[in-house]
Amino acid sequence: MTTDTTTFAAPRPAAPGEPVLEARGVTMRFGGLTAVRGVDLTVHASEIVGLIGPNGAGKTTFFNCLTGLYVPTEGEVRYKGAVLPPKSFKVTAAGIARTFQNIRLFANMTVLENVLVGRHTRTKEGFWSAVLRGPGFHRAEAASRARAMELLDFVGLAAKADHLARNLPYGEQRKLEIARALASEPGLLLLDEPTAGMNPQETRATEELVFAIRDMGIAVLVIEHDMRFIFNLCDRVAVLVQGEKLIEGDSATVQGDERVVAAYLGEPFEGAPGAEEAAEVREAEAHAEATAGQAPAEPTRDAVPGKETDR
């Protein structure tokens, strides 16, 4: 009898310039509300792409469509040419990892244990192996611990491997969440507001960390409200307004577009999509964030006063 039902190899590395993520016509409706409407987006290997937009633009809903938390009403999402399965754990196994705006760590587990959780999609040992604890189990466990420590060293947390996650400062909790995401050996990392609530020094450290991740050959798609961070970081930036992609291009192109400025100031412009649905889209995004919170266990951000940010 075998119970090894979840055995995955790490995804093959993508060649530089090869499309990693291809979203085509992604639409997400909640009843009569269209939160995301016909969005196309491509991310290539070793590329950093930003996704920005005012509150209620549909950014989190779009992220949830990419990561299997939602099945798009229309359109499709492909990773390295294959249509993604509509289950978040299968999306992770395929090679896509994400973080959340609201930090979701296991508060009462150690820093090392949190990263080991992220290794589950790359572990070959099944139920009986874990029960019997034979040589194969111990070899796999040692390999996972070694890799977890490498990642903690990469993000600067190796010295705190035995600390409880809840005792880390806010900025280090963010780093730990990124390390846990990297533990699944992704080809694409999705970061949802990685600098929310950070001071300038922490933001700069996060920027350097994202560049280092890109240099490892991992593509990055990032949502962020800090425009300076986004425009310094990204090769391309896409702008969502009321669930539709308004413009996509390099930082200079996006910053120079008068429609982007108008959207952030809340001013109407000709052809503005669905402005009357703004409040409903914000409500849908809040629901999406709450639903996503059912993934890992207890969030720890509540223990960090003054870090609440709005979408």
Side-chain angles (χ1 to χ4, degrees):
M1 177 180 179
T2 180
T3 56
D4 288 337
T5 58
T6 313
T7 301
F8 300 104
R12 66 170 181 83
E18 177 184 347
V20 174
L21 176 75
E22 296 175 280
R24 293 290 176 263
V26 172
T27 297
M28 188 68 210
R29 298 190 182 96
F30 301 96
L33 167 68
T34 302
V36 175
R37 189 191 315 269
V39 174
D40 296 337
L41 186 69
T42 300
V43 180
H44 300 90
S46 301
E47 183 180 37
I48 303 174
V49 176
L51 185 64
I52 66 173
N55 288 337
K59 302 183 297 296
T60 293
T61 299
F62 183 64
F63 253 39
N64 286 341
C65 289
L66 300 181
T67 55
L69 291 175
Y70 286 156
V71 179
T73 309
E74 297 175 11
E76 66 177 18
V77 180
R78 291 180 175 268
Y79 177 72
K80 295 183 179 178
V83 176
L84 286 172
K87 297 288 184 181
S88 58
F89 74 93
K90 291 183 179 180
V91 170
T92 303
I96 296 178
R98 74 169 291 178
T99 66
F100 294 86
Q101 180 196 8
N102 302 335
I103 296 174
R104 308 195 187 285
L105 297 173
F106 293 96
N108 293 317
M109 292 171 63
T110 67
V111 168
L112 176 60
E113 289 168 343
N114 268 273
V115 179
L116 287 171
V117 168
R119 294 288 303 168
H120 75 282
T121 57
R122 305 294 167 227
T123 300
K124 299 180 180 180
E125 303 306 308
F127 174 77
W128 285 110
S129 178
V131 170
L132 299 174
R133 293 180 173 268
F137 172 83
H138 289 293
R139 284 194 298 270
E141 185 178 45
S144 288
R145 290 179 67 89
R147 179 55 178 157
M149 286 303 300
E150 288 178 2
L151 291 170
L152 288 176
D153 184 59
F154 175 71
V155 301
L157 293 177
K160 296 188 176 182
D162 294 328
H163 292 212
L164 291 180
R166 69 184 182 194
N167 293 333
L168 292 182
Y170 180 77
E172 292 185 351
Q173 289 185 20
R174 288 278 183 195
K175 289 182 178 181
L176 176 56
E177 193 176 35
I178 291 173
R180 185 178 62 187
L182 292 174
S184 67
E185 309 294 345
L188 172 65
L189 177 63
L190 277 61
L191 302 175
D192 193 348
E193 301 216 18
T195 68
M198 287 188 177
N199 62 40
Q201 291 74 25
E202 292 171 330
T203 297
R204 176 58 184 166
T206 300
E207 182 180 309
E208 293 175 353
L209 178 58
V210 175
F211 281 135
I213 291 169
R214 187 271 312 276
D215 291 343
M216 294 167 61
I218 299 172
V220 181
L221 177 61
V222 55
I223 291 175
E224 187 53 73
H225 280 299
D226 185 334
M227 294 299 97
R228 179 177 295 180
F229 175 80
I230 279 288
F231 292 133
N232 285 342
L233 183 75
C234 297
D235 301 302
R236 286 185 292 117
V237 178
V239 183
L240 287 188
V241 176
Q242 302 305 332
E244 295 186 32
K245 189 171 75 173
L246 179 65
I247 187 174
E248 178 182 344
D250 59 28
S251 296
T253 299
V254 172
Q255 290 181 83
D257 193 292
E258 294 181 355
R259 297 170 300 168
V260 175
V261 177
Y264 270 93
L265 293 176
E267 298 175 356
F269 55 89
E270 185 176 355
E276 70 281 356
E277 296 179 336
E280 291 175 317
V281 172
R282 282 193 290 270
E283 182 178 346
E285 282 198 318
H287 172 73
E289 187 72 12
T291 303
Q294 297 173 6
E298 177 185 4
T300 59
R301 72 193 291 265
D302 291 341
V304 186
K307 297 299 183 182
E308 187 73 34
T309 57
D310 295 328
R311 297 240 9 110

